[in-house]
Amino acid sequence: MIHVYDLSTAQPERASIVTIGVFDGVHRGHQHLVGQLVRQAHSTNRLAVVLTLFPHPDLVLRGKTGRYYLTSPEQKAKLLGDLGVDIVVTHPFDDRVRQMRAADFVDQLIAHLNMNSLWVTADFALGYQREGNFAFLQAQGEAKHFEVRPIGLLQNSGEVISSSAIRDALNNGDVTQAAHWLGRFYAVSGLVVHGDHRGRTIGFPTANVETWDEQVVPANGVYACFVTLDSQRYNAVTNIGQRPTFNGTGTRVEAHLLDFDRDIYGQELSVEFVARLRGEQRFSGIEALVAQIRVDSEQGRAILQAVPVSSENSSNG
């Protein structure tokens, strides 16, 4: 898979089938669409190309702030590559792109991606003031000799799976529902950095994971998780929150790896959220906190050991 950060740098030699969208999270609806595109492209000796945008148009056009993304551009590209996509274009969504006329954007797709087929949903639109709707693109296809194919997203019990619904589930701490819609466990990653070193003093050392500050983290609470370090997977119980028992400030992601005792500061850690054990709470003192951590650890261990191997394997990425 080739990942480029500007449309003009792609330049494939073979013809391509292209789809365009934000694809935040690469959830099961996206996977359904992209899977069909990949199969068609490869069966006809064409390249499968996904053009996505960064920053997210919601942040630029609607003024959204804070943690909003389900995946970083690099996470997204890897997930799309795992589906068989040949080229991922993370194109900048800036004022120049916002003001570009739809016909001009189509010309760029043809020139830089060697596009002879464009697959989009029926409600898709591109270009200045969304002038490039499906009917417009069909007319462009007839004039400029490329196919425009409508494609639908996978539905779940009659409802279209959406990135916004997954964000809502995570913000409510419902990582089980999020995983169902994603087709894998939701994951965040980052370097292990120094914290208060309090966990080790009470017998439960934690890895303080410095996550990307624009990516959604689940609601404050305690979660059973898989943690990946150096391609090895470990069971963990992860606390997200402000550590109210110690009057902490600022939200942290702190993973306690079960049956693990190594110095891993400065290393990259990926945390996959399997199940929520409880909400964040303030305890009367350290003894009460330690007693609850023991309960959390055993409950988390039991949940993780019961996860089918197939589910573990499918959650990677």
Side-chain angles (χ1 to χ4, degrees):
M1 185 271 295
I2 296 172
H3 183 200
V4 298
Y5 292 84
D6 191 281
L7 174 59
S8 64
T9 62
Q11 305 294 348
E13 295 182 0
R14 278 190 285 150
S16 70
I17 302 178
V18 177
T19 190
I20 305 171
V22 178
F23 295 101
D24 190 24
V26 193
H27 55 61
R28 286 171 51 216
H30 299 143
Q31 294 164 29
H32 175 71
L33 186 161
V34 171
Q36 293 181 66
L37 185 149
V38 166
R39 287 190 292 273
Q40 180 65 21
H42 292 174
S43 68
T44 55
N45 197 32
R46 287 179 286 180
L47 296 172
V49 178
V50 172
L51 188 148
T52 184
L53 301 168
F54 185 84
H56 197 298
D58 283 353
L59 276 69
V60 176
L61 300 176
R62 301 177 186 174
K64 299 280 188 180
T65 58
R67 292 183 176 270
Y68 194 72
Y69 294 96
L70 299 174
T71 43
S72 70
E74 292 72 28
Q75 286 174 314
K76 184 192 303 184
K78 181 184 184 305
L79 290 166
L80 291 168
D82 290 344
L83 294 174
V85 173
D86 299 296
I87 300 174
V88 176
V89 181
T90 301
H91 196 66
F93 188 71
D94 52 22
D95 286 338
R96 181 180 64 85
V97 172
R98 288 175 57 188
Q99 301 297 324
M100 185 177 294
R101 303 309 297 251
D104 293 336
F105 199 88
V106 167
D107 289 342
Q108 291 202 16
L109 296 175
I110 296 170
H112 298 304
L113 297 180
N114 201 2
M115 179 184 74
N116 67 10
S117 182
L118 175 63
W119 291 23
V120 292
T121 56
D123 60 351
F124 175 81
L126 59 77
Y128 179 65
Q129 296 186 344
R130 294 176 58 83
E131 65 182 351
N133 58 21
F134 192 82
F136 179 95
L137 292 172
Q138 281 188 313
Q140 286 281 296
E142 291 177 4
K144 297 174 181 178
H145 311 294
F146 65 90
E147 171 196 33
V148 179
R149 180 179 296 192
I151 189 165
L153 295 177
L154 179 70
Q155 295 194 353
N156 181 68
S157 301
E159 294 181 353
V160 175
I161 300 170
S162 69
S163 301
S164 59
I166 296 169
R167 289 188 200 101
D168 289 342
L170 292 169
N171 288 329
N172 290 324
D174 193 349
V175 296
T176 303
Q177 180 64 74
H180 175 66
W181 283 333
L182 287 167
R184 64 183 188 280
F185 301 126
Y186 183 69
V188 300
S189 61
L191 295 179
V192 178
V193 298
H194 289 276
D196 300 325
H197 301 280
R198 190 176 286 117
R200 186 170 295 278
T201 65
I202 62 175
F204 293 92
T206 59
N208 185 12
V209 184
E210 189 175 49
T211 61
W212 181 36
D213 61 8
E214 294 187 54
Q215 184 176 6
V216 175
V217 296
N220 289 359
V222 179
Y223 299 84
C225 297
F226 290 120
V227 167
T228 301
L229 171 70
D230 293 332
S231 301
Q232 294 294 316
R233 217 162 189 211
Y234 302 91
N235 294 342
V237 170
T238 300
N239 182 79
I240 298 178
Q242 299 180 332
R243 308 160 313 285
T245 303
F246 301 103
N247 298 314
T249 58
T251 300
R252 292 184 184 176
V253 178
E254 298 179 303
H256 169 58
L257 282 65
L258 304 179
D259 309 313
F260 183 93
D261 186 19
R262 280 169 44 196
D263 183 347
I264 55 175
Y265 289 115
Q267 297 188 53
E268 183 87 9
L269 210 64
S270 175
V271 182
E272 299 169 87
F273 296 89
V274 177
R276 192 172 197 240
L277 303 181
R278 60 177 175 87
E280 185 178 41
Q281 62 189 98
R282 181 189 295 272
F283 294 91
S284 58
I286 292 178
E287 289 186 4
L289 171 62
V290 168
Q292 183 61 54
I293 293 175
R294 290 196 180 101
V295 172
D296 294 339
S297 297
E298 291 311 307
Q299 184 181 0
R301 189 193 308 275
I303 289 172
L304 296 170
Q305 289 177 344
V307 174
V309 173
S310 60
S311 296
E312 289 190 42
N313 293 338
S314 67
S315 68
N316 287 331

